[in-house]
PDB file of all heavy atoms in Angstrom:
ATOM      1  N   LEU K 875      -4.464  22.988  15.530  1.00  0.00           N
ATOM      2  CA  LEU K 875      -4.410  24.177  16.377  1.00  0.00           C
ATOM      3  C   LEU K 875      -4.530  23.819  17.848  1.00  0.00           C
ATOM      4  O   LEU K 875      -5.348  23.004  18.254  1.00  0.00           O
ATOM      5  CB  LEU K 875      -5.518  25.151  15.985  1.00  0.00           C
ATOM      6  CG  LEU K 875      -5.314  25.813  14.626  1.00  0.00           C
ATOM      7  CD1 LEU K 875      -6.495  26.686  14.272  1.00  0.00           C
ATOM      8  CD2 LEU K 875      -4.046  26.632  14.604  1.00  0.00           C
ATOM      9  N   GLY K 876      -3.695  24.435  18.618  1.00  0.00           N
ATOM     10  CA  GLY K 876      -3.697  24.205  20.051  1.00  0.00           C
ATOM     11  C   GLY K 876      -2.799  23.076  20.501  1.00  0.00           C
ATOM     12  O   GLY K 876      -2.620  22.863  21.705  1.00  0.00           O
ATOM     13  N   ARG K 877      -2.214  22.338  19.533  1.00  0.00           N
ATOM     14  CA  ARG K 877      -1.319  21.249  19.924  1.00  0.00           C
ATOM     15  C   ARG K 877       0.043  21.828  20.306  1.00  0.00           C
ATOM     16  O   ARG K 877       0.555  22.748  19.674  1.00  0.00           O
ATOM     17  CB  ARG K 877      -1.148  20.244  18.793  1.00  0.00           C
ATOM     18  CG  ARG K 877      -2.448  19.716  18.211  1.00  0.00           C
ATOM     19  CD  ARG K 877      -2.274  18.324  17.641  1.00  0.00           C
ATOM     20  NE  ARG K 877      -2.154  17.350  18.713  1.00  0.00           N
ATOM     21  CZ  ARG K 877      -3.182  16.879  19.426  1.00  0.00           C
ATOM     22  NH1 ARG K 877      -4.398  17.310  19.176  1.00  0.00           N
ATOM     23  NH2 ARG K 877      -2.989  15.991  20.375  1.00  0.00           N
ATOM     24  N   ASP K 878       0.631  21.270  21.306  1.00  0.00           N
ATOM     25  CA  ASP K 878       1.940  21.718  21.766  1.00  0.00           C
ATOM     26  C   ASP K 878       3.009  21.406  20.724  1.00  0.00           C
ATOM     27  O   ASP K 878       2.958  20.367  20.044  1.00  0.00           O
ATOM     28  CB  ASP K 878       2.304  21.048  23.091  1.00  0.00           C
ATOM     29  CG  ASP K 878       1.416  21.506  24.241  1.00  0.00           C
ATOM     30  OD1 ASP K 878       0.869  22.622  24.135  1.00  0.00           O
ATOM     31  OD2 ASP K 878       1.268  20.742  25.216  1.00  0.00           O
ATOM     32  N   GLY K 879       3.967  22.297  20.607  1.00  0.00           N
ATOM     33  CA  GLY K 879       5.138  22.032  19.785  1.00  0.00           C
ATOM     34  C   GLY K 879       5.052  22.501  18.352  1.00  0.00           C
ATOM     35  O   GLY K 879       6.021  22.366  17.607  1.00  0.00           O
ATOM     36  N   ILE K 880       3.893  23.067  17.919  1.00  0.00           N
ATOM     37  CA  ILE K 880       3.785  23.502  16.533  1.00  0.00           C
ATOM     38  C   ILE K 880       3.266  24.937  16.463  1.00  0.00           C
ATOM     39  O   ILE K 880       2.623  25.427  17.391  1.00  0.00           O
ATOM     40  CB  ILE K 880       2.867  22.578  15.701  1.00  0.00           C
ATOM     41  CG1 ILE K 880       1.448  22.533  16.287  1.00  0.00           C
ATOM     42  CG2 ILE K 880       3.462  21.192  15.583  1.00  0.00           C
ATOM     43  CD1 ILE K 880       0.465  21.760  15.426  1.00  0.00           C
ATOM     44  N   ALA K 881       3.573  25.594  15.336  1.00  0.00           N
ATOM     45  CA  ALA K 881       3.103  26.946  15.061  1.00  0.00           C
ATOM     46  C   ALA K 881       1.853  26.861  14.184  1.00  0.00           C
ATOM     47  O   ALA K 881       1.599  25.821  13.565  1.00  0.00           O
ATOM     48  CB  ALA K 881       4.204  27.740  14.354  1.00  0.00           C
ATOM     49  N   PRO K 882       1.059  27.928  14.086  1.00  0.00           N
ATOM     50  CA  PRO K 882      -0.185  27.879  13.301  1.00  0.00           C
ATOM     51  C   PRO K 882       0.032  28.097  11.806  1.00  0.00           C
ATOM     52  O   PRO K 882      -0.654  28.894  11.174  1.00  0.00           O
ATOM     53  CB  PRO K 882      -1.019  29.007  13.918  1.00  0.00           C
ATOM     54  CG  PRO K 882      -0.017  30.004  14.359  1.00  0.00           C
ATOM     55  CD  PRO K 882       1.165  29.204  14.839  1.00  0.00           C
ATOM     56  N   HIS K 883       1.011  27.392  11.226  1.00  0.00           N
ATOM     57  CA  HIS K 883       1.284  27.487   9.797  1.00  0.00           C
ATOM     58  C   HIS K 883       1.367  26.065   9.249  1.00  0.00           C
ATOM     59  O   HIS K 883       2.176  25.262   9.726  1.00  0.00           O
ATOM     60  CB  HIS K 883       2.599  28.229   9.533  1.00  0.00           C
ATOM     61  CG  HIS K 883       2.624  29.619  10.077  1.00  0.00           C
ATOM     62  ND1 HIS K 883       1.898  30.646   9.535  1.00  0.00           N
ATOM     63  CD2 HIS K 883       3.292  30.147  11.146  1.00  0.00           C
ATOM     64  CE1 HIS K 883       2.102  31.754  10.236  1.00  0.00           C
ATOM     65  NE2 HIS K 883       2.942  31.478  11.214  1.00  0.00           N
ATOM     66  N   TYR K 884       0.520  25.767   8.266  1.00  0.00           N
ATOM     67  CA  TYR K 884       0.485  24.407   7.740  1.00  0.00           C
ATOM     68  C   TYR K 884       0.105  24.425   6.263  1.00  0.00           C
ATOM     69  O   TYR K 884      -0.401  25.417   5.740  1.00  0.00           O
ATOM     70  CB  TYR K 884      -0.513  23.543   8.522  1.00  0.00           C
ATOM     71  CG  TYR K 884      -1.958  23.897   8.272  1.00  0.00           C
ATOM     72  CD1 TYR K 884      -2.710  23.222   7.308  1.00  0.00           C
ATOM     73  CD2 TYR K 884      -2.585  24.928   8.969  1.00  0.00           C
ATOM     74  CE1 TYR K 884      -4.025  23.556   7.055  1.00  0.00           C
ATOM     75  CE2 TYR K 884      -3.905  25.272   8.726  1.00  0.00           C
ATOM     76  CZ  TYR K 884      -4.622  24.579   7.772  1.00  0.00           C
ATOM     77  OH  TYR K 884      -5.925  24.917   7.530  1.00  0.00           O
ATOM     78  N   GLN K 885       0.353  23.304   5.611  1.00  0.00           N
ATOM     79  CA  GLN K 885      -0.030  23.113   4.220  1.00  0.00           C
ATOM     80  C   GLN K 885      -0.313  21.634   4.004  1.00  0.00           C
ATOM     81  O   GLN K 885       0.381  20.775   4.546  1.00  0.00           O
ATOM     82  CB  GLN K 885       1.076  23.590   3.290  1.00  0.00           C
ATOM     83  CG  GLN K 885       0.672  23.661   1.825  1.00  0.00           C
ATOM     84  CD  GLN K 885       1.737  24.393   0.993  1.00  0.00           C
ATOM     85  OE1 GLN K 885       2.876  23.948   0.906  1.00  0.00           O
ATOM     86  NE2 GLN K 885       1.359  25.511   0.381  1.00  0.00           N
ATOM     87  N   LEU K 886      -1.354  21.353   3.221  1.00  0.00           N
ATOM     88  CA  LEU K 886      -1.700  19.978   2.889  1.00  0.00           C
ATOM     89  C   LEU K 886      -1.212  19.691   1.474  1.00  0.00           C
ATOM     90  O   LEU K 886      -1.563  20.411   0.534  1.00  0.00           O
ATOM     91  CB  LEU K 886      -3.212  19.757   2.977  1.00  0.00           C
ATOM     92  CG  LEU K 886      -3.918  20.232   4.249  1.00  0.00           C
ATOM     93  CD1 LEU K 886      -5.391  19.835   4.216  1.00  0.00           C
ATOM     94  CD2 LEU K 886      -3.245  19.676   5.492  1.00  0.00           C
ATOM     95  N   VAL K 887      -0.398  18.655   1.322  1.00  0.00           N
ATOM     96  CA  VAL K 887       0.163  18.287   0.024  1.00  0.00           C
ATOM     97  C   VAL K 887      -0.461  16.962  -0.397  1.00  0.00           C
ATOM     98  O   VAL K 887      -0.394  15.966   0.331  1.00  0.00           O
ATOM     99  CB  VAL K 887       1.700  18.161   0.091  1.00  0.00           C
ATOM    100  CG1 VAL K 887       2.258  17.801  -1.279  1.00  0.00           C
ATOM    101  CG2 VAL K 887       2.317  19.458   0.606  1.00  0.00           C
ATOM    102  N   VAL K 888      -1.085  16.969  -1.583  1.00  0.00           N
ATOM    103  CA  VAL K 888      -1.755  15.777  -2.087  1.00  0.00           C
ATOM    104  C   VAL K 888      -0.997  15.261  -3.305  1.00  0.00           C
ATOM    105  O   VAL K 888      -0.718  16.014  -4.244  1.00  0.00           O
ATOM    106  CB  VAL K 888      -3.215  16.076  -2.479  1.00  0.00           C
ATOM    107  CG1 VAL K 888      -3.939  14.784  -2.844  1.00  0.00           C
ATOM    108  CG2 VAL K 888      -3.946  16.781  -1.340  1.00  0.00           C
ATOM    109  N   ARG K 889      -0.645  13.959  -3.258  1.00  0.00           N
ATOM    110  CA  ARG K 889       0.073  13.321  -4.367  1.00  0.00           C
ATOM    111  C   ARG K 889      -0.682  12.070  -4.792  1.00  0.00           C
ATOM    112  O   ARG K 889      -1.437  11.489  -4.011  1.00  0.00           O
ATOM    113  CB  ARG K 889       1.496  12.932  -3.954  1.00  0.00           C
ATOM    114  CG  ARG K 889       2.423  14.086  -3.620  1.00  0.00           C
ATOM    115  CD  ARG K 889       3.803  13.560  -3.240  1.00  0.00           C
ATOM    116  NE  ARG K 889       4.760  14.636  -3.017  1.00  0.00           N
ATOM    117  CZ  ARG K 889       4.898  15.292  -1.860  1.00  0.00           C
ATOM    118  NH1 ARG K 889       4.132  14.971  -0.829  1.00  0.00           N
ATOM    119  NH2 ARG K 889       5.791  16.260  -1.745  1.00  0.00           N
ATOM    120  N   ARG K 890      -0.458  11.646  -6.018  1.00  0.00           N
ATOM    121  CA  ARG K 890      -0.985  10.369  -6.496  1.00  0.00           C
ATOM    122  C   ARG K 890       0.133   9.329  -6.375  1.00  0.00           C
ATOM    123  O   ARG K 890       1.212   9.492  -6.927  1.00  0.00           O
ATOM    124  CB  ARG K 890      -1.453  10.502  -7.946  1.00  0.00           C
ATOM    125  CG  ARG K 890      -1.961   9.225  -8.593  1.00  0.00           C
ATOM    126  CD  ARG K 890      -3.187   8.651  -7.896  1.00  0.00           C
ATOM    127  NE  ARG K 890      -4.286   9.586  -7.802  1.00  0.00           N
ATOM    128  CZ  ARG K 890      -5.193   9.782  -8.764  1.00  0.00           C
ATOM    129  NH1 ARG K 890      -5.117   9.106  -9.887  1.00  0.00           N
ATOM    130  NH2 ARG K 890      -6.181  10.641  -8.583  1.00  0.00           N
ATOM    131  N   GLU K 891      -0.139   8.274  -5.597  1.00  0.00           N
ATOM    132  CA  GLU K 891       0.810   7.174  -5.423  1.00  0.00           C
ATOM    133  C   GLU K 891       0.147   5.920  -5.946  1.00  0.00           C
ATOM    134  O   GLU K 891      -0.740   5.344  -5.297  1.00  0.00           O
ATOM    135  CB  GLU K 891       1.213   7.036  -3.959  1.00  0.00           C
ATOM    136  CG  GLU K 891       1.977   8.242  -3.421  1.00  0.00           C
ATOM    137  CD  GLU K 891       2.460   8.041  -1.996  1.00  0.00           C
ATOM    138  OE1 GLU K 891       2.100   7.006  -1.383  1.00  0.00           O
ATOM    139  OE2 GLU K 891       3.197   8.911  -1.494  1.00  0.00           O
ATOM    140  N   GLY K 892       0.548   5.488  -7.154  1.00  0.00           N
ATOM    141  CA  GLY K 892      -0.114   4.367  -7.789  1.00  0.00           C
ATOM    142  C   GLY K 892      -1.529   4.766  -8.178  1.00  0.00           C
ATOM    143  O   GLY K 892      -1.751   5.765  -8.848  1.00  0.00           O
ATOM    144  N   ALA K 893      -2.504   3.999  -7.711  1.00  0.00           N
ATOM    145  CA  ALA K 893      -3.906   4.301  -8.013  1.00  0.00           C
ATOM    146  C   ALA K 893      -4.577   5.087  -6.909  1.00  0.00           C
ATOM    147  O   ALA K 893      -5.766   5.381  -6.985  1.00  0.00           O
ATOM    148  CB  ALA K 893      -4.669   3.000  -8.259  1.00  0.00           C
ATOM    149  N   MET K 894      -3.825   5.448  -5.856  1.00  0.00           N
ATOM    150  CA  MET K 894      -4.418   6.077  -4.684  1.00  0.00           C
ATOM    151  C   MET K 894      -3.858   7.482  -4.474  1.00  0.00           C
ATOM    152  O   MET K 894      -2.711   7.777  -4.827  1.00  0.00           O
ATOM    153  CB  MET K 894      -4.135   5.230  -3.432  1.00  0.00           C
ATOM    154  CG  MET K 894      -4.625   3.791  -3.519  1.00  0.00           C
ATOM    155  SD  MET K 894      -6.421   3.673  -3.509  1.00  0.00           S
ATOM    156  CE  MET K 894      -6.751   4.069  -1.797  1.00  0.00           C
ATOM    157  N   ASP K 895      -4.680   8.350  -3.874  1.00  0.00           N
ATOM    158  CA  ASP K 895      -4.221   9.673  -3.463  1.00  0.00           C
ATOM    159  C   ASP K 895      -3.650   9.591  -2.058  1.00  0.00           C
ATOM    160  O   ASP K 895      -4.162   8.845  -1.202  1.00  0.00           O
ATOM    161  CB  ASP K 895      -5.376  10.673  -3.480  1.00  0.00           C
ATOM    162  CG  ASP K 895      -5.850  10.973  -4.892  1.00  0.00           C
ATOM    163  OD1 ASP K 895      -5.059  10.783  -5.829  1.00  0.00           O
ATOM    164  OD2 ASP K 895      -7.014  11.378  -5.050  1.00  0.00           O
ATOM    165  N   HIS K 896      -2.599  10.354  -1.819  1.00  0.00           N
ATOM    166  CA  HIS K 896      -1.944  10.332  -0.513  1.00  0.00           C
ATOM    167  C   HIS K 896      -1.794  11.754   0.010  1.00  0.00           C
ATOM    168  O   HIS K 896      -1.479  12.683  -0.742  1.00  0.00           O
ATOM    169  CB  HIS K 896      -0.569   9.677  -0.611  1.00  0.00           C
ATOM    170  CG  HIS K 896       0.109   9.514   0.721  1.00  0.00           C
ATOM    171  ND1 HIS K 896      -0.242   8.537   1.620  1.00  0.00           N
ATOM    172  CD2 HIS K 896       1.094  10.237   1.308  1.00  0.00           C
ATOM    173  CE1 HIS K 896       0.505   8.658   2.711  1.00  0.00           C
ATOM    174  NE2 HIS K 896       1.322   9.680   2.542  1.00  0.00           N
ATOM    175  N   LEU K 897      -2.015  11.911   1.301  1.00  0.00           N
ATOM    176  CA  LEU K 897      -1.974  13.223   1.945  1.00  0.00           C
ATOM    177  C   LEU K 897      -0.747  13.336   2.848  1.00  0.00           C
ATOM    178  O   LEU K 897      -0.478  12.450   3.660  1.00  0.00           O
ATOM    179  CB  LEU K 897      -3.244  13.429   2.781  1.00  0.00           C
ATOM    180  CG  LEU K 897      -3.306  14.699   3.649  1.00  0.00           C
ATOM    181  CD1 LEU K 897      -3.341  15.946   2.766  1.00  0.00           C
ATOM    182  CD2 LEU K 897      -4.533  14.660   4.566  1.00  0.00           C
ATOM    183  N   THR K 898      -0.028  14.445   2.688  1.00  0.00           N
ATOM    184  CA  THR K 898       1.052  14.800   3.606  1.00  0.00           C
ATOM    185  C   THR K 898       0.702  16.124   4.261  1.00  0.00           C
ATOM    186  O   THR K 898       0.380  17.099   3.571  1.00  0.00           O
ATOM    187  CB  THR K 898       2.399  14.938   2.872  1.00  0.00           C
ATOM    188  OG1 THR K 898       2.739  13.685   2.272  1.00  0.00           O
ATOM    189  CG2 THR K 898       3.497  15.339   3.854  1.00  0.00           C
ATOM    190  N   VAL K 899       0.736  16.168   5.583  1.00  0.00           N
ATOM    191  CA  VAL K 899       0.489  17.389   6.335  1.00  0.00           C
ATOM    192  C   VAL K 899       1.837  17.987   6.707  1.00  0.00           C
ATOM    193  O   VAL K 899       2.606  17.386   7.465  1.00  0.00           O
ATOM    194  CB  VAL K 899      -0.336  17.106   7.612  1.00  0.00           C
ATOM    195  CG1 VAL K 899      -0.545  18.401   8.397  1.00  0.00           C
ATOM    196  CG2 VAL K 899      -1.676  16.479   7.249  1.00  0.00           C
ATOM    197  N   GLU K 900       2.132  19.152   6.136  1.00  0.00           N
ATOM    198  CA  GLU K 900       3.355  19.869   6.478  1.00  0.00           C
ATOM    199  C   GLU K 900       2.999  20.971   7.476  1.00  0.00           C
ATOM    200  O   GLU K 900       2.126  21.798   7.208  1.00  0.00           O
ATOM    201  CB  GLU K 900       3.998  20.477   5.230  1.00  0.00           C
ATOM    202  CG  GLU K 900       4.439  19.437   4.205  1.00  0.00           C
ATOM    203  CD  GLU K 900       5.174  20.058   3.034  1.00  0.00           C
ATOM    204  OE1 GLU K 900       5.139  21.300   2.908  1.00  0.00           O
ATOM    205  OE2 GLU K 900       5.784  19.310   2.251  1.00  0.00           O
ATOM    206  N   VAL K 901       3.645  20.982   8.605  1.00  0.00           N
ATOM    207  CA  VAL K 901       3.341  21.951   9.648  1.00  0.00           C
ATOM    208  C   VAL K 901       4.644  22.444  10.257  1.00  0.00           C
ATOM    209  O   VAL K 901       5.610  21.676  10.370  1.00  0.00           O
ATOM    210  CB  VAL K 901       2.411  21.335  10.720  1.00  0.00           C
ATOM    211  CG1 VAL K 901       3.042  20.116  11.365  1.00  0.00           C
ATOM    212  CG2 VAL K 901       1.991  22.359  11.757  1.00  0.00           C
ATOM    213  N   GLU K 902       4.682  23.721  10.618  1.00  0.00           N
ATOM    214  CA  GLU K 902       5.903  24.284  11.193  1.00  0.00           C
ATOM    215  C   GLU K 902       6.021  23.953  12.668  1.00  0.00           C
ATOM    216  O   GLU K 902       5.032  23.984  13.412  1.00  0.00           O
ATOM    217  CB  GLU K 902       5.922  25.803  11.025  1.00  0.00           C
ATOM    218  CG  GLU K 902       6.468  26.242   9.700  1.00  0.00           C
ATOM    219  CD  GLU K 902       6.708  27.741   9.638  1.00  0.00           C
ATOM    220  OE1 GLU K 902       6.780  28.377  10.702  1.00  0.00           O
ATOM    221  OE2 GLU K 902       6.812  28.265   8.522  1.00  0.00           O
ATOM    222  N   ALA K 903       7.239  23.673  13.068  1.00  0.00           N
ATOM    223  CA  ALA K 903       7.523  23.452  14.483  1.00  0.00           C
ATOM    224  C   ALA K 903       7.569  24.776  15.228  1.00  0.00           C
ATOM    225  O   ALA K 903       7.912  25.818  14.663  1.00  0.00           O
ATOM    226  CB  ALA K 903       8.854  22.720  14.644  1.00  0.00           C
ATOM    227  N   ASP K 904       7.209  24.730  16.495  1.00  0.00           N
ATOM    228  CA  ASP K 904       7.379  25.889  17.357  1.00  0.00           C
ATOM    229  C   ASP K 904       8.868  26.174  17.506  1.00  0.00           C
ATOM    230  O   ASP K 904       9.670  25.239  17.604  1.00  0.00           O
ATOM    231  CB  ASP K 904       6.743  25.602  18.719  1.00  0.00           C
ATOM    232  CG  ASP K 904       6.736  26.824  19.618  1.00  0.00           C
ATOM    233  OD1 ASP K 904       7.797  27.126  20.189  1.00  0.00           O
ATOM    234  OD2 ASP K 904       5.676  27.444  19.758  1.00  0.00           O
ATOM    235  N   PRO K 905       9.269  27.452  17.505  1.00  0.00           N
ATOM    236  CA  PRO K 905      10.703  27.753  17.640  1.00  0.00           C
ATOM    237  C   PRO K 905      11.351  27.152  18.892  1.00  0.00           C
ATOM    238  O   PRO K 905      12.560  26.919  18.914  1.00  0.00           O
ATOM    239  CB  PRO K 905      10.728  29.294  17.680  1.00  0.00           C
ATOM    240  CG  PRO K 905       9.496  29.715  16.945  1.00  0.00           C
ATOM    241  CD  PRO K 905       8.462  28.673  17.272  1.00  0.00           C
ATOM    242  N   LEU K 906      10.556  26.892  19.918  1.00  0.00           N
ATOM    243  CA  LEU K 906      11.104  26.345  21.163  1.00  0.00           C
ATOM    244  C   LEU K 906      11.181  24.824  21.170  1.00  0.00           C
ATOM    245  O   LEU K 906      11.713  24.238  22.118  1.00  0.00           O
ATOM    246  CB  LEU K 906      10.259  26.816  22.355  1.00  0.00           C
ATOM    247  CG  LEU K 906      10.185  28.335  22.576  1.00  0.00           C
ATOM    248  CD1 LEU K 906       9.283  28.663  23.752  1.00  0.00           C
ATOM    249  CD2 LEU K 906      11.583  28.920  22.775  1.00  0.00           C
ATOM    250  N   LEU K 907      10.664  24.168  20.124  1.00  0.00           N
ATOM    251  CA  LEU K 907      10.682  22.712  20.094  1.00  0.00           C
ATOM    252  C   LEU K 907      12.084  22.209  19.770  1.00  0.00           C
ATOM    253  O   LEU K 907      12.700  22.627  18.794  1.00  0.00           O
ATOM    254  CB  LEU K 907       9.686  22.203  19.043  1.00  0.00           C
ATOM    255  CG  LEU K 907       9.515  20.688  18.967  1.00  0.00           C
ATOM    256  CD1 LEU K 907       8.810  20.166  20.229  1.00  0.00           C
ATOM    257  CD2 LEU K 907       8.740  20.284  17.720  1.00  0.00           C
ATOM    258  N   ALA K 908      12.567  21.308  20.574  1.00  0.00           N
ATOM    259  CA  ALA K 908      13.898  20.734  20.362  1.00  0.00           C
ATOM    260  C   ALA K 908      13.894  19.845  19.134  1.00  0.00           C
ATOM    261  O   ALA K 908      12.893  19.180  18.831  1.00  0.00           O
ATOM    262  CB  ALA K 908      14.317  19.935  21.593  1.00  0.00           C
TER     263      ALA K 908
END
């Protein structure tokens, strides 16, 4: 929140990769971001 270029909509996606858990942060871009 408050970072330039993104909207306040996000989701955290957790996957198992091998023996480890991995996190992907999905966040929407601001409509004005090129």
Side-chain angles (χ1 to χ4, degrees):
L875 290 176
R877 308 208 74 78
D878 292 336
I880 59 174
H883 301 288
Y884 71 94
Q885 190 169 62
L886 310 185
V887 181
V888 187
R889 295 181 175 85
R890 177 62 56 85
E891 295 184 354
M894 303 291 287
D895 291 337
H896 185 76
L897 174 66
T898 299
V899 178
E900 297 185 348
V901 59
E902 275 190 18
D904 187 282
L906 299 178
L907 184 69

